[in-house]
Structures are given as structure tokens and as C-alpha cells.
Amino acid sequence: MPPQASGPLGARRRIATTLKRWREESGQSLTDVSKETLISTSKLSRLENADAKPRLQDVRDLIRFFGKQDTPTATLLERWVATAEASGWWTDFSDDVLLNRLRLDTHLAYEAEATVERVYT
């Protein structure tokens, strides 16, 4: 299993949602996109599930592939890639082994992105 991507989850999720929507609207499978872009199906899947930090080159290739160059959404995607590359504030305070073993990294990423807190008892 590849290592969990750490850092801001919101940007990764927005990228994932957009890329998946574009692919589904185009009526293509991950395999179809993979053959044309030379990005592995595994990597495409991880991008569409927000399980990987997106690389700017990959996102630009997908923008071109889907014909979305020079659109406001393409500009947003490139900005979100820069945001997604940042490390989460918690990575300086915790042992990487502990974060990966207990999946705390993902939990902390959700916590850092939260805008509402609800407590149920």
C-alpha cells in the first residue's frame, strides 16, 4: 500500500472531485485516460480518491487531455495543487511511523480542514 498523503485534505478532495467529474462526463474509464496520458490507472485512481498528493505536471496533463485549458476551473486546480503540496502543521510534531500506523494523519487533516464542530453524547 502506498504511503498516506499528508497535509491539507480539502485541496486534494476538490482536485479529486473535479478530475473524476471530468472523466465521467467524458465517458472514459481510468484505463482509457491512462493509455492517452501515460499516467498509471493506479495513480489516476489515487488522485480521484484524494489518496495521493497531486503533481502539477499530472494535473496539467489531465487539464489538456480533457480540453479544459484556460478555464477558471483549470486555474483553480493549479492553485489547489500548490495548496495540497504543503505539509500539515502536525507533521513537525509526530513520528511518521506512528502517523501511518494509526492513520492519525488523515484524521488530523480532516480536523485541520473542519469548519464546524459537533459533539454528540
Side-chain angles (χ1 to χ4, degrees), residues 24-76:
E24 289 175 345
E25 287 173 355
S26 74
Q28 299 189 60
S29 69
L30 288 172
T31 304
D32 297 333
V33 176
S34 175
K35 286 178 185 174
E36 295 296 320
T37 61
L38 302 178
I39 300 171
S40 72
T41 55
S42 174
K43 186 175 202 173
L44 289 169
S45 177
R46 288 192 312 270
L47 287 173
E48 286 190 4
N49 289 305
D51 289 336
K53 282 189 181 182
R55 289 183 38 233
L56 185 57
Q57 183 62 49
D58 294 332
V59 171
R60 284 185 177 159
D61 289 346
L62 291 166
I63 289 169
R64 267 192 300 278
F65 175 76
F66 291 115
K68 304 292 185 175
Q69 309 92 310
D70 303 319
T71 64
T73 305
T75 303
L76 280 173

Side-chain angles (χ1 to χ4, degrees), residues 2 10 16 21 31 41 60 79 83 92 104 107 113 120:
R21 181 172 34 86
T31 304
T41 55
R60 284 185 177 159
R79 190 177 318 146
T83 301
D92 291 339
L104 290 177
H107 175 75
E113 297 283 332
Y120 297 92

